[in-house]
Amino acid sequence: MCEAACSRAHFGVFNPRRSLIRIVTIEPGIDRAAFCYQCRGVPCGKRCPTGAITYDAVAGLAKIAQDDCIGCGLCVEDCPFGVMSVDKAAGVAVKCDTCGGSPACIPHCPTGVLKLKSNEQVAQEKRIAHVTRVERAGARRAGVADV
């Protein structure tokens, strides 16, 4: 459903093959979302012959200048996460652009696991998880129960 919402938002069609996010089946019953990580160094754009892929530091997004893209696919080869694609109908490279900060996929995620988080939010969650692990390990070593 999230892929259909994405393709509708970007291309006006309900077609998961045209989605800018991908649901990947790890094994039966275990699916994960694959999407652009908005890398600052835009590894996907290193060999772009037209320079169509850039990083917008203000928006925090890797962007594709659609008018400059020639659809060569070098970005698809270079994306370390496999989330770039060339839309055959449009003839240009496409990837998740967070729908301008309000992703169409999130409200349509049937499991509610898709979320848009800032780098600071992700970092804070990691800090909390780390501190919690350290506290639990220390309590276990000290023989404290119910931690």
Side-chain angles (χ1 to χ4, degrees):
M1 293 177 45
C2 51
E3 288 174 310
C6 176
S7 65
R8 172 74 172 99
H10 287 281
F11 302 108
V13 296
F14 291 103
N15 182 348
R17 287 190 210 128
R18 292 191 75 191
S19 175
L20 306 185
I21 64 166
R22 300 279 187 244
I23 302 304
V24 179
T25 300
I26 305 301
E27 61 183 65
I30 299 178
D31 297 330
R32 298 288 185 264
F35 48 85
C36 180
Y37 285 87
Q38 311 300 339
C39 303
R40 288 180 195 264
V42 288
C44 56
K46 295 292 184 204
R47 293 191 299 152
C48 179
T50 64
I53 303 172
T54 58
Y55 184 77
D56 179 337
V58 174
L61 298 173
K63 294 186 172 185
I64 303 170
Q66 299 291 316
D67 291 340
D68 295 333
C69 179
I70 58 173
C72 68
L74 289 174
C75 55
V76 176
E77 293 176 17
D78 291 348
C79 174
F81 304 105
V83 295
M84 294 285 296
S85 61
V86 174
D87 184 74
K88 292 184 187 344
V92 294
V94 293
K95 63 165 204 67
C96 176
D97 60 2
T98 73
C99 295
S102 184
C105 57
I106 291 176
H108 297 284
C109 177
T111 59
V113 297
L114 291 179
K115 308 220 181 318
L116 180 63
K117 297 179 182 180
S118 69
N119 289 340
E120 182 54 34
Q121 288 171 307
V122 172
Q124 179 66 7
E125 289 173 6
K126 287 182 178 184
R127 287 189 290 270
I128 290 168
H130 172 71
V131 168
T132 302
R133 281 191 305 275
V134 169
E135 286 177 349
R136 287 184 180 152
R140 280 193 296 274
R141 282 194 297 276
V144 178
D146 297 316
V147 178

